[in-house]
Structures are given as structure tokens and as C-alpha cells.
Amino acid sequence: MSGDTQRAIEAVWRIEAAKLIAGLARLVRDVGIAEELAQDALVAALETWPRTGVPDNPGAWLMATAKNRALDQLRRYKMLEQKHAELAAEMDLAHEISSRERSEAVDAAIDDEIGDDLLRLVFTACHPVLSPEARVALTLRMVGGLSTAEIARAYLVPEPTIAQRIVRAKRTLSEARVPFEVPRGAELEERLASALEVIYLVFNEGFAATAGEEWTRPALCEEALRLGRVLAGLMPQEREVHGLVALMEIQASRLPARLGPDGEPVLLMDQDRSRWDHLLIRRGLAALARAEALGGTLGPYTLQAAIAACHARARVASETDWTRIAAIYDALSQVMPSPVVELNRAVAVGMAFGPAAGLEIVDTLVAEPSMRDYHLLPSVRADLLAKLGRSEAARAEWRRAAELTGNERERALLLARARDAA
């Protein structure tokens, strides 16, 4: 298989996997079986496309292949009667129809976009029968198409732990016969926090990829934004839904400026702000205004959106209101205490009150177990050390950060900063 074909298949899989799994899950009512069927379609693509070339509509090819395998499996395990009865009830069909009509009904169940399958997939994976950690891991795997290694890095936990969570989660959903549907009423509210967390993690993987050769994956950001906007339509009175949408809109506005001419990363303070998407900024600020207008205590997503808004309102980097950002991080650390929030607060404090103040906060995190392999800790520490004139120590920290990151573009950037340190 040529390298170009391999990369094309991987790219198609990243884009289409969640849609495949969601469509199949509506048919078989089991996310574990749906993922297996989607993987079968991927194997078929790996066997076929190197000979025939990548089809004009690869997503449709994968769906057709997965659909055929789903029908074969339904028949093989004598599940077609049960599954057809469920589908017939949903579509108000008579129970007794011919085998040919049954196949047509199954086809229609996959092809007809009734509601939003991806949203159903999110809420199924976020079902209360699972632990919060399992909900996040499973949804990132199913909806975001992330590997267990990528999820482990996003959550700062060992990879085997994530793998075990995903396996147990799929088994639990199957055994509990969890319905593939968007919940309603009080149950919807109970599962909202987990859904928001998952959507934002998917967005973050697109905004700053944890592994691979590309620093950003815009398709993941777009999918997370789409799901967030759907949630905002479902729950217009929930402040944190609007807060999350605001945060993602504003952050996504920077995507065009995050890459240089050769795909190299461009950090926030070095970006050409004329390349920011000002339509997304306006949408984000409007969503933030809706969140703030709902009253009550500001939640973590709304606070993070307020920080992003400070950056968005600065015409040039030097106009950034770092004092206000540091104050908002103080509030965020109260409602969502975590080492990562503290690290970000250290950056803001360093910009507002000097690198020594920021370094003091960072140094309290060095012994934190969950930060041991988090590459941004030595990266931030290196930046603060360099500003204090401690060049040799800064170079060592940048090299350590380069060793820890799984992203090739980011590794190159960190090594370049180590080489260029005065």
C-alpha cells in the first residue's frame, strides 16, 4: 500500500468513523457491535482501496460496506426479527411485512437522518450506568475517533486504564440494554455535565492534536462545535451550554492563524490576528452574553469563555488585559480546581505580574503526579525561565517538553525554542 493511500484512508476514517458508528448504533442498538462493524468496513477499505483507489465518496462506501455487514450479522445471529420490530415501531410500519421490505426498512433506518445520530451517540455513551470516567473515554473513542493513547494523554492517566474503561463501558451498555436515544427532562439535565466535558475534550483534540504530524484537526473542532450548538438549541436556559459554545467559537476563530505557511505551529502571542475568523468571534461573544444574561454563579465553561473573550477583544497581543485574565483564572480555580488550571493561571500571573510570580506557581506543580508526563508543564516553565534570563535551565525544560509531546509539529517547535534560547 502506498503512503498516500494509507494517509488518505486514515484521514477518511478520522472524518467518517463517528458517523458510521452512530448510524450503525441506531440499527443494532449496541455501540460495541456498531464499532466492530465500522472497524470491519475499515478493514475492507484497507484491502480494497489500494487496488481500486479511494472512491469519490469514501464515507458512502464505508457506510454501504458496514450496512451490508450489519445485515449479514443480524441475519447470522437471528436478530433481524427483533431489530426490525423496533424499527417498524419507530416508523409506524406494520409488523408483518415481507423479507424484502424488511431489508428496505433496515436500509432506511441507516440512510434516513431521523434526529441527530451523533447526539444520540454522545448521550448513550454518557449514560449514568457508566462511571463519569468511562463516559468520557467511551464518547471520545466513539464520537471523536481518538485512540486510547490520545485519550490517555488528554486525561493525564495511563493508557491501559483508558483501554480498560472503554472495554468495560461497552460491555456495561450492552448488558444494561441502554436505549440509543437522546434523554428527556430531568435525565437530560443529569447527563449534561458529562456531555459538555466530552464535547470540549473532542474540541481540544482538534484545536491542539496530542499526536501525529498535524498540530490541528479542524474537522474535530467543527464536529464539537456542531454538537455544542445542537445542545444549545435543546437546552436554551442552561448557561454552561452557551458558555461552552462561546468558548469553542472564540477558540476556533484562531485556527486559521495557528499554522504557518509550512504547517508549523504559531503560538497565540505571535499570531496574525487579522487572520482570526471575526464571524466566529462575534458568534462567541454573543453566546457568552447569552450565558451571562441567565444569571447565577458563573460556571467553568463560561469563565473560560470570558478568558477567551479577553484575547479576542485585544487587537494586538500587547493590548491583552492579563490582569483581568489572571483574576478570572483565580475564580476558575475555585470552581474547577485542577493542576492544569493552575498551570494556565501561572501563565496569566506571569504575564500580569512578572515571570517570577508565574514561576512560583509552576514550581508548586512539579511534584504533582498527574503532571509528570504533561509536556506543557516544562514548556511553560521554560518560557518563564527564559524571561528571567536563565537560558540554560530554559533549554533543558524545552528539550524535556519536546520528549514528552506526541505531536511532531509541536516537538519541532519546542526543539527550535531550545536551540534559539539566548
Side-chain angles (χ1 to χ4, degrees), residues 360-376:
E360 184 178 349
I361 298 172
V362 171
D363 285 345
T364 67
L365 302 173
V366 172
E368 175 63 41
S370 66
M371 302 292 277
R372 186 176 298 115
D373 297 323
Y374 189 50
H375 72 284
L376 291 181

Side-chain angles (χ1 to χ4, degrees), residues 265 402 405 407-419:
T405 184
N407 187 279
E408 296 299 327
R409 295 283 189 178
E410 191 169 27
R411 180 177 293 111
L413 171 68
L414 292 166
L415 291 174
R417 297 194 76 183
R419 287 193 304 269

Side-chain angles (χ1 to χ4, degrees), residues 99-109:
S99 296
R100 180 182 61 80
E101 289 171 324
R102 289 175 189 178
S103 294
E104 290 174 354
V106 172
D107 288 351

